[in-house]
Amino acid sequence: MSDAPTIAFARRRLARQFQDAAIESAALDARLLVGEVAGLDLTGLLVQAERILTAEENERLQSLAARRLGGEPVARILGMREFWGLPFELSADTLVPRPDTETIVEAALAILQERALPAPRILDIGTGSGAILLALLHERPDAIGVATDISLGALRTARRNAQRLGLADRAGFLACDYASALQGRFDLIVSNPPYIPANEIAGLDREVREHDPRRALDGGADGLDAYRKIIPESVRLLQPRGALVVEIGQGQERDVSALMQASGLTVSDPFQPDLSGIFRAVTGRLAGP
């Protein structure tokens, strides 16, 4: 792309490059990168389709395209990802929020609606970018929440997201290993912990294995190490009749259910599937009046 093209031509050419590189979301990625350098949303790209990119815009587009062709996800390049219809800043310390994780938000909201609690207290263990907690607080203006993470960088990112979304006054952030530093009681606990078996990480998509923080992926030898910590801690922290909702990897529903039951939680069945039909959320409830 040495000669400055029009916006429309740049999109078509970049999409072809991405298709040739076997990038599944070629057209979308091309649109997002051209929109980034031109400072335009989808409507702007259509209205200004025949505008010629400036030399500076074209040079930057080539740089971003090279990063995408090198395997870097578009969300990492842009430093932002939409989740639950909300924009989330990313950093090297956070996972890229994925649509699969919206299953956790759906399950959690259903529990809150079912119990009809005023001002529910929510805990998000291992929050990363803050996506799950902040999506819940956005949907429930009466709720307050606490998010934990062992990574200070992740917590700084999550706090910025809370401020940007106007939710900082209802969200607290605490650095600790899972929930080890907490003493309060919560009506709902949510978590998307690391659950990939360590020997499977090398076989993940390049975008994940090379760009997501390994600490947020590695679930130990069998992928269940995080659940062995989170579930007992959650039992300690839940209010009577409170619920724990966790994201799981494919095929982990029975093992995670067994860990919940061994800790005294009652597991809801059926499990919650994502849009691909893969069981993605397991819910455990604490007994109470």
Side-chain angles (χ1 to χ4, degrees):
M1 293 194 295
S2 57
D3 295 325
T6 65
I7 284 174
F9 184 79
R11 285 181 61 186
R12 291 194 299 270
R13 184 159 61 183
L14 195 55
R16 285 196 301 270
Q17 283 184 289
F18 290 164
Q19 287 170 347
D20 291 344
I23 294 174
E24 292 184 2
S25 53
L28 175 61
D29 290 1
R31 172 172 70 79
L32 291 172
L33 293 184
V34 174
E36 171 71 9
V37 301
L40 298 170
D41 59 13
L42 176 56
T43 300
L45 290 173
L46 295 174
V47 171
Q48 299 189 41
E50 297 308 311
R51 175 169 81 75
I52 295 175
L53 292 176
T54 67
E56 292 77 14
E57 289 171 338
N58 190 49
E59 182 177 355
R60 186 175 179 224
L61 181 60
Q62 292 183 65
S63 175
L64 299 186
R67 291 169 62 183
R68 185 68 187 100
L69 290 166
E72 188 173 353
V74 165
R76 293 280 180 205
I77 295 171
L78 302 181
M80 299 289 293
R81 177 64 178 261
E82 183 179 291
F83 177 85
W84 201 257
L86 304 170
F88 284 89
E89 176 189 336
L90 306 178
S91 70
D93 303 288
T94 67
L95 290 173
V96 176
R98 293 174 174 83
D100 297 344
T101 302
E102 293 188 353
T103 307
I104 310 303
V105 178
E106 292 169 356
L109 288 172
I111 290 168
L112 293 177
Q113 182 175 11
E114 169 196 321
R115 294 201 58 200
L117 291 170
R121 288 171 49 83
I122 303 170
L123 169 63
D124 182 5
I125 299 176
T127 194
S129 65
I132 298 176
L133 177 64
L134 298 178
L136 291 170
L137 295 183
H138 175 78
E139 293 295 325
R140 288 293 302 259
D142 58 333
I144 58 174
V146 174
T148 71
D149 207 291
I150 199 169
S151 166
L152 292 176
L155 289 171
R156 284 192 288 266
T157 303
R159 186 177 289 110
R160 287 194 298 270
N161 282 323
Q163 292 167 344
R164 181 180 296 105
L165 294 170
L167 300 169
D169 60 335
R170 292 192 285 123
F173 299 92
L174 179 66
C176 64
D177 185 20
Y178 297 114
S180 59
L182 291 173
Q183 296 297 326
R185 292 281 182 168
F186 297 89
D187 302 295
L188 174 68
I189 300 177
V190 293
S191 182
N192 176 18
Y195 54 70
I196 307 297
N199 64 359
E200 295 182 10
I201 291 176
L204 296 175
D205 289 343
R206 180 183 183 186
E207 295 183 7
V208 175
R209 71 173 186 268
E210 294 184 1
H211 296 281
D212 277 342
R214 185 182 178 99
R215 184 164 57 189
L217 300 172
D218 191 341
D222 61 359
L224 302 174
D225 282 1
Y227 302 105
R228 294 188 179 98
K229 293 184 178 181
I230 289 171
I231 292 169
E233 288 183 358
S234 296
V235 171
R236 175 176 64 86
L237 294 168
L238 281 171
Q239 294 276 17
R241 298 182 61 205
L244 166 66
V245 184
V246 295
E247 180 167 334
I248 59 169
Q250 187 170 3
Q252 292 179 326
E253 61 272 11
R254 297 300 173 187
D255 289 333
V256 173
S257 295
L259 291 171
M260 286 187 175
Q261 290 165 343
S263 291
L265 297 176
T266 300
V267 177
S268 301
D269 202 3
F271 309 110
Q272 297 292 317
D274 61 22
L275 294 176
S276 300
I278 297 170
F279 290 130
R280 192 59 65 184
V282 176
T283 299
R285 298 173 188 257
L286 189 65

